[in-house]
Amino acid sequence: GASNTATVGPIPWPLAWFCMSETKKPAESADSASGGLTEWERAALKERVAELKAEGRMRKKVDAEAAVLEKIAEMPQPDRNLAERFHAIVLANAPQLSSKTWYGMPAYAKDGKVVCFFQGAAKSESRYSTIGFQDAAVIDDGTMWPTSFAVTEKMTKADEDKIAALVRKAVS
């Protein structure tokens, strides 16, 4: 069967999605010398390479948790607040997931595969932050379901409860 993980050339999905984004400004467009990637995408790929190297050295969960908390602390507000809230929701509802950084974003994995992640609005130059689920997440609902959700600084307790339920479902 077909995988839920898409690629565009050598670019894995969530980066492929940004390559296709209609919100790119002409000044951000990629040129042929850069291999078709924008400056933001090249920076994210460099971060991922550094993360993969660090994962080879960081095998303790405590070190990975510290790396995630460091990434969250580096975020501007309101992204930092949203990331802290998402981090707390994941830890409380899916303690079996391991914290890690993924393309410079806080992510949570099971058996090394990313289940869910938080992407700040500032990082992707978007008007909202995103909570996303990868194909390792078991959030299937019929023949079609969302895999990412826009969140804003106005996220409510009811929204947090919905996210908690999705996180629990993702690891069920």
Side-chain angles (χ1 to χ4, degrees):
S3 171
N4 289 346
T5 304
T7 59
V8 175
I11 306 166
W13 127 248
L15 248 23
W17 183 83
F18 290 109
C19 291
M20 296 181 285
S21 174
E22 294 178 18
T23 61
K24 294 289 182 200
K25 300 172 194 156
E28 295 175 327
S29 65
D31 60 24
S32 59
S34 68
L37 300 176
T38 65
E39 185 177 322
W40 178 86
E41 292 159 345
R42 284 191 303 277
L45 285 173
K46 286 179 184 178
E47 281 190 88
R48 183 64 181 143
V49 169
E51 291 164 4
L52 290 171
K53 289 178 182 176
E55 283 178 12
R57 296 184 301 268
M58 289 192 321
R59 292 294 177 205
K60 295 183 179 179
K61 189 173 183 174
V62 172
D63 292 339
E65 175 77 8
V68 166
L69 292 174
E70 184 178 321
K71 277 294 179 192
I72 291 172
E74 292 172 0
M75 293 178 179
Q77 290 295 359
D79 291 342
R80 183 180 327 129
N81 181 45
L82 290 168
E84 289 169 347
R85 291 165 71 184
F86 182 63
H87 184 74
I89 290 167
V90 172
L91 294 181
N93 291 278
Q96 67 270 47
L97 295 181
S98 302
S99 300
K100 66 185 281 178
T101 58
W102 185 63
Y103 294 98
M105 300 177 285
Y108 306 88
K110 182 176 181 180
D111 301 325
K113 295 182 179 182
V114 172
V115 173
C116 55
F117 63 91
F118 176 86
Q119 178 184 317
K123 182 170 186 80
S124 61
E125 299 177 4
S126 178
R127 63 184 181 91
Y128 52 81
S129 297
T130 303
I131 292 171
F133 294 87
Q134 288 295 105
D135 61 336
V138 185
I139 58 170
D140 306 34
D141 184 17
T143 59
M144 187 172 96
W145 57 90
T147 58
S148 64
F149 299 85
V151 292
T152 68
E153 61 194 84
K154 295 179 182 177
M155 185 168 65
T156 66
K157 172 70 170 114
D159 297 329
E160 289 179 354
D161 292 344
K162 288 177 189 175
I163 294 166
L166 280 168
V167 169
R168 285 190 302 271
K169 184 176 181 180
V171 295
S172 63

